[in-house]
Amino acid sequence: MRTNRNVDTRPRFTGGSTTETVYRCLRSTIRSVNHAFHQDGGRNVEVIILDDHSDDSYLEKIKELCGELQCPSTIQTTRDTGQGKSLHEQFELAKSLNALCYFCEDDYLHEPSAIMEMWNFYRQMVEQTGNHLVLHPQECEFLYQTHYSSYIIAGEKRHWRTMNHATHVLFMHSDVVKSLTTRHFFKRFHF
């Protein structure tokens, strides 16, 4: 969140400003994280926000909102600015972990159960297949305009499908990040 940020200037479908949209999306993410954090199952949750050099006033508001997180959390400023460099830094950080990682952009709206549902479906698929996977939970109009063969899999509360297109909203194990960044290969799945 910067005054000189390179953003899409088209009006949001909500009619709200970019700032309002980002804050609403952050609130929804916090609700979803808190919901997942309080579920049974011995899950450990930690939030690391990589902030891409937000202006001080925006960063203070982000910190204020993150005060509602009920799990350990930190906010770190990225080394360099820009979407590609931020994404690279996220992957580098994830490679050092042994954990499920959720990479999420700042304008992604979450249902309260979204993160828990991803976590549960991921576990279900790993138990059934013995392999890690990449979840892309985002819905966008493009996914319904272009049709290609997909597997449809029933989750606990929704259906998921394989896909070949995704944005940078990804849920995967750090081992997948290590493997993908090592081989410079990335096949995306939307389940």
Side-chain angles (χ1 to χ4, degrees), residues 43-78:
R43 300 173 181 179
N44 293 317
V45 178
E46 177 184 359
V47 173
I48 302 170
I49 295 174
L50 293 181
D51 177 69
D52 188 1
H53 299 85
S54 291
D55 291 343
D56 289 342
S57 60
Y58 295 122
L59 186 56
E60 286 307 312
K61 181 65 174 179
I62 292 168
K63 288 177 181 177
E64 176 188 326
L65 293 172
C66 288
E68 297 175 23
L69 282 164
Q70 297 166 5
C71 63
S73 65
T74 58
I75 299 175
Q76 301 173 19
T77 301
T78 57

Side-chain angles (χ1 to χ4, degrees), residues 131-188:
N131 293 307
H132 288 298
L133 61 146
V134 177
L135 297 180
H136 173 62
Q138 184 172 359
E139 292 284 10
C140 58
E141 187 176 342
F142 173 79
L143 298 175
Y144 299 96
Q145 294 175 344
T146 305
H147 299 281
Y148 45 81
S149 298
S150 294
Y151 290 102
I152 307 293
I153 302 167
E156 185 179 327
K157 297 188 178 199
R158 65 187 72 235
H159 288 78
W160 301 76
R161 71 176 174 124
T162 57
M163 58 162 301
N164 295 320
H165 300 86
T167 62
H168 297 132
V169 180
L170 306 166
F171 187 89
M172 67 182 110
H173 195 276
S174 56
D175 287 347
V176 176
V177 178
K178 290 174 200 168
S179 173
L180 295 175
T181 56
T182 300
R183 293 184 290 168
H184 302 289
F185 172 79
F186 199 86
K187 179 160 176 83
R188 297 171 176 152

Side-chain angles (χ1 to χ4, degrees), residues 6 121 168:
N6 181 17
F121 185 73
H168 297 132

Side-chain angles (χ1 to χ4, degrees), residues 28 31-33 35-36 39 110-120 157-158:
S28 76
R31 279 192 301 273
S32 191
V33 167
H35 179 77
Q39 299 307 305
H110 291 78
E111 293 180 9
S113 63
I115 293 173
M116 183 194 71
E117 288 184 42
M118 284 189 289
W119 202 332
N120 289 342
K157 297 188 178 199
R158 65 187 72 235

